[in-house]
Amino acid sequence: MSVSSSPYTALLRKIESHIALTTDERQAIQNLPVHVRAAKAGETLLREGDRPSQCCLVLSGLVCRQKIVGEGRRQIMSFDINGDVTDLQSLHLDVMDHDVAMLQDGKVGFLPHAALRAMTERHPRIAAALWRATLIDATIFRQWMVNIGRKSAYARTAHLICELVALARSVGLNEYVIEHRPTQEELGNALGLSIVHVNRTMRALREAGLVASEGRRLVVLDWEVLQSAGEFDPAYLHLKTAV
Amino acid sequence: MSVSSSPYTALLRKIESHIALTTDERQAIQNLPVHVRAAKAGETLLREGDRPSQCCLVLSGLVCRQKIVGEGRRQIMSFDINGDVTDLQSLHLDVMDHDVAMLQDGKVGFLPHAALRAMTERHPRIAAALWRATLIDATIFRQWMVNIGRKSAYARTAHLICELVALARSVGLNEYVIEHRPTQEELGNALGLSIVHVNRTMRALREAGLVASEGRRLVVLDWEVLQSAGEFDPAYLHLKTAV
DNA sequence: CGCTGGATTGACACCATTCAATGCCCGTGG
DNA sequence: CCACGGGCATTGAATGGTGTCAATCCAGCG
């Protein structure tokens, strides 16, 4: 439950969820320079068009990747939590195609591209693990496309809740709970729904006895039924541990 | 225009669109074992849950990645053409999270994972180029999420047409034309729309003078207006050449 | 205590789906 | 040469899921 004080703990756990590391490799990661700072909700860390020279590691709080489109509309493409590197892609793609923004206060660490590149060249297994992490990102994007394109508001909301719970559990939480859920507006911007309809849908989920709301805590009451309502199968997350 | 006879030509062009290759590296790619075969429209090359031991390179025809969801509904997540490796991800993710299917007759080449892995270990620059290719895949998935989640049927159809034209042009076609377009049903399954509404939307695009249809050929009549209708900015494709 | 961000609700409009037919092109077989 | 069938495109009508607009409510907080 407690968030680790060292930025390396989060990063190591993330990478070790992909491969087992040798002592040498662990050391290489812990030798990475990292600049940690606090960031407040609403802050935009990276903007579409930027050419970052470092990668952004989430240490606490809630971060999202999003695109702004037209008149204030936006699409959120991922929620990133403790241990996620939000823009690993910037290591190989110079220009950002989307924003990275803080949704809730937290801490982020910045890892210089130069140091990361040097490490990946000397440690191809770590490079492969990072590559794998970006591939899992892509599987999640694909899943979201399916949800947004082909499922009802009810099903896709249920699916997103399942995903957030599964990911939170995979980094250490034990309960079927989302401790600091996104706002309904943020959920809408992730699900391709209006805020009003997210509200209606959440109410339906509550009335069906699948979830309960306690302020910013969202509690899953019936994990099995919620999964089937969202047609959720965690295989696409490629987690080592069962959900 | 003419499709190359050698499977290596397509693959080399693809990789060389990311990095300049040394003679040594070119040779390594041309030494890859590849098994070419014809595949007919409707054939499913890979299925969700499969554990492939080779990657699939498109040589001709039209291929898609898709997920089946619930009662016969499906979401197409990409259209793949000459030179695309549809499942590069399977090099690092053992289980397929989606299907790969032929939409139009063509040829595909299969590259064994073992040979690819051996090559990437000895040629880290090629590994980086392939990694980059998967990252661009992800940028396209993100863009599709925005389209499906936040744009009108008209705008997202226009956007998809722009993307298909831009990609076809990037691999050698000169005109603003899609030679073998997907069917309207396939477009619908990619856009998150019903076939009927795709039809109405295509009519609207025709009546607005943006495109014209000649059987399976789709001709863009007004590239500028089509782009603005779809809010299309090719930056996310990370093409070296301008559209 | 008033302010602010978020949640909630109702009424209404509309975009897109569904259902159902029809049309068109083209390859195949009699 | 024509009839037939299949796949795809097209169109109309009715339905409905979701968006929009507009209030109101609520809790936390300075």
Side-chain angles (χ1 to χ4, degrees):
Chain A
M1 283 294 272
S2 70
V3 174
S4 59
S5 51
S6 159
Y8 300 112
T9 314
L11 187 55
L12 280 169
R13 192 195 48 235
K14 186 75 177 181
I15 294 176
E16 288 183 316
S17 75
H18 295 295
I19 56 166
L21 292 175
T22 67
T23 311
D24 199 35
E25 288 165 341
R26 293 187 123 248
Q27 198 55 56
I29 290 168
Q30 287 177 327
N31 285 341
L32 283 172
V34 55
H35 170 231
V36 176
R37 75 169 174 88
K40 298 199 76 66
E43 195 174 326
T44 299
L45 301 177
L46 287 170
R47 222 169 284 271
E48 187 171 346
D50 282 356
R51 295 168 176 271
S53 60
Q54 48 195 7
C55 284
C56 177
L57 167 69
V58 182
L59 298 173
S60 63
L62 184 62
V63 179
C64 79
R65 288 179 265 188
Q66 62 178 11
K67 279 199 187 197
I68 310 296
V69 46
E71 297 295 319
R73 301 175 85 86
R74 62 178 176 145
Q75 175 70 44
I76 291 177
M77 289 162 305
S78 78
F79 294 110
D80 297 319
I81 59 175
N82 182 25
D84 290 333
V85 181
T86 62
D87 62 330
L88 209 39
Q89 49 143 15
S90 66
L91 212 49
H92 291 290
L93 298 179
D94 51 355
V95 181
M96 290 296 292
D97 64 303
H98 61 272
D99 296 355
V100 173
M102 296 297 294
L103 297 180
Q104 289 168 25
D105 295 356
K107 280 188 186 165
V108 290
F110 293 97
L111 306 158
H113 283 173
L116 276 171
R117 286 211 190 83
M119 184 186 70
T120 55
E121 273 161 29
R122 286 197 298 118
H123 297 281
R125 291 180 65 249
I126 299 181
L130 295 179
W131 186 354
R132 187 170 193 272
T134 63
L135 292 171
I136 291 178
D137 270 2
T139 67
I140 298 176
F141 296 145
R142 284 194 289 269
Q143 185 61 53
W144 282 36
M145 278 179 49
V146 175
N147 292 336
I148 298 172
R150 284 294 178 230
K151 290 185 190 168
S152 68
Y154 189 79
R156 69 180 108 150
T157 306
H159 192 283
L160 179 56
I161 294 171
C162 288
E163 181 181 300
L164 292 177
V165 168
L167 290 176
R169 285 173 60 80
S170 80
V171 297
L173 295 177
N174 288 317
E175 304 298 324
Y176 288 93
V177 165
I178 302 170
E179 284 297 337
H180 301 283
R181 65 165 175 76
T183 66
Q184 293 191 351
E185 184 184 4
E186 288 156 1
L187 288 174
N189 283 322
L191 294 166
L193 293 173
S194 69
I195 176 174
V196 172
H197 205 62
V198 170
N199 187 282
R200 287 193 274 250
T201 307
M202 288 302 300
R203 173 156 55 116
L205 287 168
R206 277 199 308 271
E207 287 174 351
L210 304 187
V211 301
S213 190
E214 304 171 357
R216 274 303 164 85
R217 252 171 85 92
L218 185 74
V219 183
V220 175
L221 299 178
D222 194 330
W223 179 241
E224 291 302 325
V225 176
L226 188 66
Q227 283 185 94
S228 64
E231 298 184 76
F232 178 77
D233 174 354
Y236 73 100
L237 296 173
H238 292 269
L239 301 174
K240 289 278 172 62
T241 56
V243 177
Chain B
M1 284 293 270
S2 69
V3 173
S4 59
S5 51
S6 159
Y8 299 111
T9 315
L11 187 55
L12 280 169
R13 192 195 49 236
K14 187 73 177 184
I15 294 176
E16 288 182 317
S17 75
H18 296 294
I19 56 166
L21 292 175
T22 66
T23 312
D24 199 35
E25 288 165 342
R26 294 186 122 249
Q27 199 55 57
I29 290 169
Q30 287 175 329
N31 285 342
L32 283 173
V34 56
H35 170 231
V36 176
R37 75 169 176 87
K40 298 198 77 65
E43 195 173 327
T44 299
L45 301 177
L46 287 170
R47 222 169 282 272
E48 186 171 346
D50 283 356
R51 296 168 176 270
S53 60
Q54 48 194 8
C55 285
C56 176
L57 168 68
V58 181
L59 298 172
S60 62
L62 184 62
V63 179
C64 80
R65 288 179 264 189
Q66 62 178 13
K67 278 198 188 197
I68 310 296
V69 45
E71 297 295 318
R73 299 175 87 86
R74 63 178 176 146
Q75 175 69 44
I76 291 177
M77 288 161 305
S78 79
F79 294 110
D80 297 318
I81 58 175
N82 183 23
D84 290 333
V85 182
T86 61
D87 62 329
L88 209 39
Q89 48 144 15
S90 65
L91 211 50
H92 290 291
L93 298 180
D94 50 356
V95 181
M96 290 295 295
D97 64 304
H98 61 273
D99 296 354
V100 174
M102 297 296 295
L103 296 180
Q104 289 169 26
D105 295 355
K107 279 187 187 164
V108 290
F110 292 97
L111 306 158
H113 283 172
L116 277 170
R117 285 211 190 84
M119 184 186 70
T120 56
E121 273 163 28
R122 285 197 299 118
H123 298 281
R125 291 180 65 250
I126 299 181
L130 294 179
W131 186 355
R132 187 169 193 274
T134 64
L135 292 171
I136 292 177
D137 270 4
T139 67
I140 298 177
F141 296 145
R142 285 193 288 269
Q143 185 61 53
W144 282 36
M145 276 179 50
V146 175
N147 292 336
I148 299 173
R150 283 295 179 233
K151 290 185 189 169
S152 68
Y154 189 80
R156 69 179 108 150
T157 305
H159 192 283
L160 179 56
I161 294 171
C162 288
E163 181 181 299
L164 292 176
V165 167
L167 290 177
R169 285 172 60 80
S170 79
V171 297
L173 295 177
N174 289 317
E175 304 298 324
Y176 289 94
V177 165
I178 301 170
E179 285 296 337
H180 301 283
R181 64 164 175 76
T183 66
Q184 293 190 352
E185 184 184 2
E186 288 156 1
L187 289 175
N189 283 323
L191 294 166
L193 293 173
S194 70
I195 176 174
V196 173
H197 204 61
V198 170
N199 186 282
R200 288 195 264 257
T201 307
M202 289 301 301
R203 173 154 56 115
L205 287 168
R206 277 199 308 271
E207 288 173 352
L210 303 188
V211 301
S213 188
E214 304 172 358
R216 274 304 165 85
R217 249 172 88 91
L218 185 74
V219 183
V220 174
L221 299 178
D222 194 331
W223 179 241
E224 291 302 325
V225 176
L226 188 66
Q227 282 185 91
S228 64
E231 296 184 78
F232 177 78
D233 174 352
Y236 73 99
L237 297 173
H238 292 270
L239 300 173
K240 288 280 172 62
T241 56
V243 180

